[in-house]
Amino acid sequence: MNNLPKSHPRYLSLLQREKIVKGFRKGMVVPQGLIAQGRAEAFDYILGEKTIRPAKKAIEAAASLFLLAKYPVISVNGNTAALAGKQVIKLARASEAKIEVNLFYRTKERKEKIEKFLISLGAKKFLVKKMPQVIIPGLKSERRKVSKEGIFKADVVFVPLEDGDRTEHLIKMGKKVVAVDLNPFSRTSQKASITIVDNIVRAIPLLIDTIQKIKNKNRNKLKTILKNYNNKKTLKEAIAIVRKRLIRMSSLN
Ligand code: PTJ
């Protein structure tokens, strides 16, 4: 749709749809990615399409973790590239992180297409394309194939919207995982070290802002932010908000 009216009450949501559809037409997003977007829209609708307080807390902890990390890596899939390609690059710049394209429905062509797209947005300096390819131990999905210089080497891995198969294995490898998932019940959400229950299109810009804001704090202060952060508790708070919103919505006449 070329002429989305800005005054439309669901303008921002429709804009995301357009980006996903465009990504699909370009061959970056898989058909299953359209389903993932639909699921996200439903959760976002329930959450009021705004960043909730628990997500802000998680973002502060994630920003501290990024700043304390020795080798942070941002994992990018088709949906993330289509929805937030530019923001991912800004985040890499702000946190001195690497970017690696890692796909569930992996094909060589699609991986290269997404890498080319990211390079066209300015990602060249951050992108890890170089093999050797290694395997995440125990993981069966195509996502097990990672670069030795990317996700395999990372101490912190940022996984915006994924389907949970990998987070557990990365944690088993001793890595910290920061996930963004609108679904607080998902396996990714439950297993990640830090879960940001928010839409990636809002969460990534906020994460960048927070990194800029706290980057001059001394390391002990950042460590204290992390020590005081409890992911289980934050997830429970997010779920409580879902529950409250559903109750409020169901009592409308
Ligand atoms: O590009 P590929 O091959 O790596 O495939 C990517 C998808 C997303 C298709 C694949 O990982 C998949 O099938 O994922 P799922 O199982 O649909 O899970 C995606 C999760 O991300 C769901 O819990 C959604 O709620 C969530 N999600 C989707 N879009 C967003 C989101 N969370 C935050 N922001 C979004 N925009």
Side-chain angles (χ1 to χ4, degrees), residues 31 129 169 178 214:
K129 288 202 295 180
H169 288 87
V178 177
I214 67 173

Side-chain angles (χ1 to χ4, degrees), residues 1 10 12-13 21 28 30 44 65 82 98 107-108 117 124 135 158 160 162 165-166 171 176 199 201 205 231 236:
M1 206 169 137
R10 309 210 44 73
L12 289 176
S13 178
V21 170
M28 297 200 301
V30 277
D44 214 5
L65 188 59
K98 300 281 179 211
T107 64
K108 190 168 169 281
F117 173 70
K124 194 161 191 255
I135 298 293
F158 183 62
E162 75 163 52
D165 62 323
R166 186 174 46 151
I171 300 254
K176 299 270 184 226
N199 195 320
V201 304
N231 203 47
K236 275 188 192 160

Side-chain angles (χ1 to χ4, degrees), residues 67 89-97 126 208 211-212 215:
L67 290 168
I89 296 161
K90 279 191 189 157
L91 177 60
R93 192 167 290 123
S95 60
E96 292 172 33
F126 309 102
I208 297 166
I211 288 173
Q212 311 284 21
K215 72 176 178 203

Side-chain angles (χ1 to χ4, degrees), residues 36 39-40 77-78 104-105 110 162-163 181-182 198-200:
R39 177 145 50 135
N77 62 14
F104 186 75
Y105 300 100
R110 197 157 70 90
E162 75 163 52
D163 63 351
D181 193 335
L182 274 160
D198 198 10
N199 195 320
I200 62 161

Side-chain angles (χ1 to χ4, degrees), residues 16-247:
Q16 285 170 51
R17 263 190 204 180
E18 291 307 310
K19 286 186 176 169
I20 286 285
V21 170
K22 210 166 150 193
F24 172 69
R25 291 200 174 118
K26 279 189 181 164
M28 297 200 301
V29 173
V30 277
Q32 294 85 340
L34 306 178
I35 299 169
Q37 173 69 13
R39 177 145 50 135
E41 277 185 20
F43 274 105
D44 214 5
Y45 200 88
I46 293 169
L47 288 169
E49 293 171 325
K50 60 179 192 339
T51 304
I52 54 176
R53 253 174 60 92
K56 287 182 187 159
K57 271 207 295 196
I59 286 171
E60 193 190 31
S64 307
L65 188 59
F66 258 115
L67 290 168
L68 289 168
K70 289 201 180 83
Y71 200 81
V73 174
I74 304 167
S75 178
V76 174
N77 62 14
N79 285 44
T80 301
L83 283 174
K86 271 191 197 152
Q87 283 76 14
V88 162
I89 296 161
K90 279 191 189 157
L91 177 60
R93 192 167 290 123
S95 60
E96 292 172 33
K98 300 281 179 211
I99 298 173
E100 180 174 351
V101 175
N102 181 270
L103 304 175
F104 186 75
Y105 300 100
R106 181 191 174 103
T107 64
K108 190 168 169 281
E109 296 70 40
R110 197 157 70 90
K111 187 171 183 290
E112 285 172 2
K113 215 171 252 182
I114 296 170
E115 285 171 350
K116 264 197 193 143
F117 173 70
L118 292 173
I119 288 170
S120 78
L121 299 177
K124 194 161 191 255
K125 193 172 147 201
F126 309 102
L127 200 62
V128 178
K129 288 202 295 180
K130 256 193 318 199
M131 295 296 120
Q133 191 183 66
V134 282
I135 298 293
I136 297 177
L139 185 60
K140 297 284 180 266
S141 80
E142 281 297 299
R143 267 213 267 256
R144 70 186 185 281
K145 296 171 187 166
V146 292
S147 166
K148 202 173 176 185
E149 291 306 310
I151 291 169
F152 196 78
K153 185 171 163 185
D155 55 344
V156 171
V157 187
F158 183 62
V159 293
L161 77 97
E162 75 163 52
D163 63 351
D165 62 323
R166 186 174 46 151
T167 300
E168 260 179 288
H169 288 87
L170 291 174
I171 300 254
K172 271 190 202 152
M173 286 173 83
K175 302 178 191 303
K176 299 270 184 226
V177 175
V178 177
V180 187
D181 193 335
L182 274 160
N183 176 3
F185 308 102
S186 76
R187 203 151 41 103
T188 303
S189 289
Q190 298 292 330
K191 296 290 176 189
S193 321
I194 297 175
T195 310
I196 302 167
V197 180
D198 198 10
N199 195 320
I200 62 161
V201 304
R202 293 188 299 268
I204 298 179
L206 268 177
L207 181 56
I208 297 166
D209 283 355
T210 311
I211 288 173
Q212 311 284 21
K213 233 180 258 162
I214 67 173
K215 72 176 178 203
N216 294 325
K217 282 192 195 257
N218 75 40
R219 288 178 69 84
N220 284 339
K221 285 222 167 96
L222 299 176
K223 282 181 189 164
T224 306
I225 294 175
L226 270 181
K227 219 173 95 198
N228 292 337
Y229 178 79
N230 180 330
N231 203 47
K232 286 261 170 304
K233 188 168 165 260
T234 312
L235 267 177
K236 275 188 192 160
E237 286 167 11
I239 291 169
I241 291 174
V242 170
R243 188 166 169 266
K244 219 163 123 187
R245 294 253 323 155
L246 286 174
I247 291 170

